[in-house]
Amino acid sequence: MRKAPTILHLDMDAFYASAEQASKPSLRGKAVVVGGLGPRGVVATASYEARVFGVHSAMPMAQARRLAPNAAYLVPRFGFYKAISEQVMALLRALSPLVEPLSLDEAFVDLEAGGAAWDEASARLVGAKLRADIRAGTGLTGSVGLAASKMLAKIASEQAKPDGLVAIEPGTERALLGPMSVRTLPGVGPATGDHLRRAGIHTVDEIVEAGEDELVRLLGKAHGHGLYAMALARDERAVVAERETKSVSVEDTYDVDIHDRVRVGLEVQRLADRCVRRLREAGLSGRTIVLKVRRYDFSTLTRSETLRGPTDDPAVVKEAALRLLEGVDSTGGVRLLGVGVSGLADFTQEDLFAQAAGEAADPGGEEVADDVPVEERDVVVERRWVAGHDVRHAEYGHGWVQGSGLGRVTVRFETPDSEPGRVRTFRVDDPRLEPAEPLPLVEVTGSRPQHA
């Protein structure tokens, strides 16, 4: 008897950017890019309107600005995204005790374990209701994939994007997978993909044609056997209920040992950026930076440094990882590098994008004369206005920062349920303007005071 498609994969559509568009009526239907705005910033999420110009996540922000110069560029509000994520995850946990979150905007659910679905028809009904409940509760859309395994459910949700539902019927899996790129399969990253390509293997069908023995020869026993099984649509991985995360890490194995010390340093910085992105997606920060180096002779060294407090700042993580690298002898070559963060903590509002906030604020601030009292200088120095973040004005009400510089801050006054609002400019030290908490995207109790 074939397994029913009762594994559900939910992926919120362009989550951060969609949340910003829902929060800001003037940005709906427009290109929005969310990420670090400094010179080393990267794109966290791009709206579908921005993707038309070629902007995508993990792209350097400078490149995104060249591709889409007229897009709205915003610093993430992770506390806001985490609150929305908690609403969505609560809906998933109402369906089943087996929910496996992958990030703030993505999770697997075993519907059969919760008695929510037992065949394709019941699974489709659950998926459709879930999408409707998410829209009603958050105002956002999510794409749902249904299949008999985690791998296929994730592929189905990708096909469903944006704002759709796809169920893979039992018996159709092999035909569906066959023409797809090898990169579709879990565990096939750039390095493995290039290795397979050099062997003339580009599609999943070609993996099957090559045979299990050839895969083992190319990739090693464990990886070869696993990849061949997935190419045959066999994926026995169970949905694992949420466990406390103890660390976040990334690593890369290189087909050819790296001997150039400069390139080793660049790879460490790249890995640190990826590690921080995972931290932020999980809504976490950490105190201990860990560097892993596997040398040419397979000896593995691990070094760590514990900071005074938790961080999610990519510059801090990179600098710590590079300091750790200085104490490692890479003579002879490096075959694997990894960067991790442990000693994890939830974000506090003050932690979020601390560095990016400084970069996005007035580049030089207002010039402060030597004879200005210290307490007055502090007002200027501490009032930083971050692009995309919420503010409230004593006269005009709730709004968000469009930008700041040269001692001025520009604010658009609007709320999630208002018409696109007006733009006004103030001095950065205007006492009537203050930071504010994000407003809910969907009003639940009573009416919200409108902006002026």
Side-chain angles (χ1 to χ4, degrees):
M1 180 178 175
R2 295 185 184 276
K3 284 186 176 181
T6 55
I7 302 297
L8 180 149
H9 181 259
L10 170 71
D11 197 346
M12 299 294 288
D13 300 320
F15 181 44
Y16 301 164
S18 294
E20 296 297 347
Q21 289 176 316
S23 178
K24 302 171 171 64
S26 59
L27 297 184
R28 293 170 191 168
K30 297 182 180 178
V32 174
V33 181
V34 180
L37 302 188
R40 294 171 297 192
V42 295
V43 175
T45 309
S47 69
Y48 287 101
E49 295 86 353
R51 295 179 192 187
V52 170
F53 298 99
V55 180
H56 58 77
S57 61
M59 171 181 285
M61 190 62 76
Q63 182 181 356
R65 288 185 183 277
R66 289 193 294 270
L67 293 172
N70 296 319
Y73 288 88
L74 308 175
V75 173
R77 298 182 291 165
F78 280 104
F80 178 52
Y81 309 147
K82 189 174 181 181
I84 299 171
S85 175
E86 287 171 354
Q87 287 181 266
V88 174
M89 295 300 165
L91 291 173
L92 299 183
R93 293 188 185 97
L95 298 175
S96 172
L98 291 184
V99 176
E100 183 178 344
L102 304 179
S103 62
L104 290 179
D105 61 343
E106 186 180 2
F108 287 110
V109 185
D110 188 330
L111 297 177
E112 191 172 18
W118 49 91
D119 58 13
E120 183 182 345
S122 58
R124 280 184 177 273
L125 286 173
V126 170
K129 184 176 186 302
L130 173 65
R131 293 178 54 239
D133 288 346
I134 289 172
R135 184 186 288 274
T138 69
L140 303 180
T141 64
S143 295
V144 168
L146 296 162
S149 69
K150 289 167 70 172
M151 176 185 75
L152 292 166
K154 184 171 175 61
I155 290 170
S157 70
E158 285 296 319
Q159 292 185 323
K161 281 187 166 292
D163 190 20
L165 183 152
V166 168
I168 298 178
E169 299 178 14
T172 67
E173 298 94 343
R174 287 282 303 279
L176 175 74
L177 283 177
M180 292 184 174
S181 164
V182 296
R183 291 290 302 276
T184 304
L185 300 179
V188 181
T192 301
D194 287 345
H195 204 55
L196 291 171
R197 179 179 52 78
R198 288 195 293 271
I201 299 172
H202 302 85
T203 67
V204 176
D205 266 343
E206 288 169 345
I207 289 178
V208 177
E209 291 168 7
E212 192 168 13
D213 290 343
E214 178 65 7
L215 265 291
V216 170
R217 187 187 70 80
L218 287 170
L219 304 175
K221 189 173 181 179
H223 200 180
H225 286 311
L227 194 60
Y228 186 72
M230 286 190 287
L232 295 175
R234 299 173 188 159
D235 177 19
E236 300 301 323
R237 293 175 302 157
V239 175
V240 180
E242 185 175 11
R243 294 189 296 258
E244 182 181 359
T245 303
K246 297 187 184 302
S247 65
V248 173
S249 62
V250 297
E251 61 182 44
D252 274 346
T253 301
Y254 305 98
D255 292 335
V256 178
D257 291 352
I258 304 175
H259 293 84
D260 183 356
R261 185 76 175 182
V262 173
R263 188 188 163 196
V264 172
L266 291 173
E267 289 293 317
V268 166
Q269 293 182 69
R270 184 178 61 82
L271 289 165
D273 277 330
R274 281 173 52 196
C275 184
V276 168
R277 285 200 296 276
R278 288 194 180 182
L279 265 182
R280 291 174 168 177
E281 287 172 357
L284 298 169
S285 57
R287 295 185 61 208
T288 301
I289 315 303
V290 181
L291 175 71
K292 178 180 177 182
V293 180
R294 181 166 296 151
R295 299 188 292 190
Y296 70 99
D297 59 357
F298 285 88
S299 62
T300 302
L301 304 175
T302 303
R303 301 286 186 268
S304 65
E305 175 181 324
T306 299
L307 308 173
R308 288 180 297 175
T311 185
D312 73 322
D313 188 329
V316 173
V317 176
K318 280 191 278 193
E319 288 167 7
L322 289 174
R323 282 196 300 272
L324 294 169
L325 180 63
E326 291 173 1
V328 174
D329 180 9
S330 61
T331 305
V334 171
R335 61 183 298 108
L336 177 146
L337 288 168
V339 174
V341 177
S342 61
L344 302 181
D346 287 344
F347 279 112
T348 61
Q349 190 65 33
E350 289 75 22
D351 289 336
L352 304 181
F353 261 83
Q355 182 196 22
E359 292 167 344
D362 177 6
E366 289 195 295
E367 292 186 5
V368 183
D370 290 340
D371 58 351
V372 175
V374 171
E375 57 271 21
E376 291 185 28
R377 295 189 196 184
D378 289 343
V379 171
V380 176
V381 172
E382 291 177 3
R383 294 180 71 83
R384 291 177 170 176
W385 305 108
V386 184
H389 284 216
D390 299 85
V391 294
R392 183 165 188 81
H393 190 274
E395 180 180 353
Y396 300 111
H398 192 94
W400 58 277
V401 177
Q402 282 201 325
S404 64
L406 302 177
R408 296 289 184 269
V409 55
T410 300
V411 177
R412 185 181 289 273
F413 290 97
E414 58 187 5
T415 63
D417 56 2
S418 74
E419 295 296 321
R422 294 184 61 181
V423 175
R424 298 179 185 275
T425 299
F426 309 92
R427 290 175 58 87
V428 294
D429 58 352
D430 190 323
R432 298 171 298 171
L433 190 67
E434 60 183 6
E437 292 297 317
L439 297 175
L441 297 181
V442 175
E443 190 64 31
V444 178
T445 57
S447 60
R448 177 190 302 134
Q450 295 295 308
H451 68 293

